[in-house]
Amino acid sequence: MSDAPDMEDLIHTEEPTFQHVMACVFGIQEHESRTYLTLRDHPGSTVEELAEVLDRDRSNVNRSLTTLLEKNLAERERRLLDPGGYVYQYTATPLGEAKEMLHAALDEWSDTVHDRIDGFGDEA
């Protein structure tokens, strides 16, 4: 079960932070929105590098990144290492695109609520 805040939580928060808005609108946990914001400041980071900056376990950071990838809030690129093998580097979706995604999600939610209001009493 997810502990992600939802739209109701957002409505009842007087002055939400950007991190909180992201969590509510995208249905992600607040540590995932924190990972996004940290990734913005550290583009091209590996899981290990992010884990160190966030002071979190690598497996937790990896799960956060998986969620961000699924929500199109991050991109992953494979980089080959000189001695062989590879490592994945992650980059946050640019802030402008993330804001557009937030606006679109809120507009869609708002339209749905308006349709429900307008349709109230019509179902006989």
Side-chain angles (χ1 to χ4, degrees), residues 51-120:
E52 185 175 323
V53 172
L54 290 165
D55 193 29
R56 295 187 64 222
D57 184 76
R58 284 178 44 152
S59 63
N60 291 330
V61 172
N62 201 37
R63 282 192 293 275
S64 292
L65 288 168
T66 298
T67 298
L68 294 176
L69 289 168
E70 289 170 355
K71 300 287 184 174
N72 295 318
L73 291 169
E75 294 179 357
R76 179 176 79 171
E77 187 174 306
R78 191 167 91 164
R79 182 180 56 127
L80 297 175
L81 301 173
D82 287 335
Y86 61 89
V87 66
Y88 286 114
Q89 293 179 293
Y90 297 85
T91 303
T93 297
L95 184 58
E97 286 180 42
K99 287 180 178 181
E100 286 177 22
M101 291 166 57
L102 283 167
H103 283 292
L106 282 173
D107 288 345
E108 183 178 326
W109 178 81
S110 177
D111 289 345
T112 300
V113 172
H114 285 288
D115 289 345
R116 289 295 190 131
I117 293 169
D118 292 342
F120 183 74

Side-chain angles (χ1 to χ4, degrees), residues 4-22:
D6 58 15
M7 292 299 283
E8 183 176 352
D9 184 55
L10 183 59
I11 290 168
H12 292 101
T13 302
E14 194 168 313
E15 292 187 35
T17 63
F18 185 75
Q19 180 178 339
H20 187 75
V21 171
M22 283 188 71

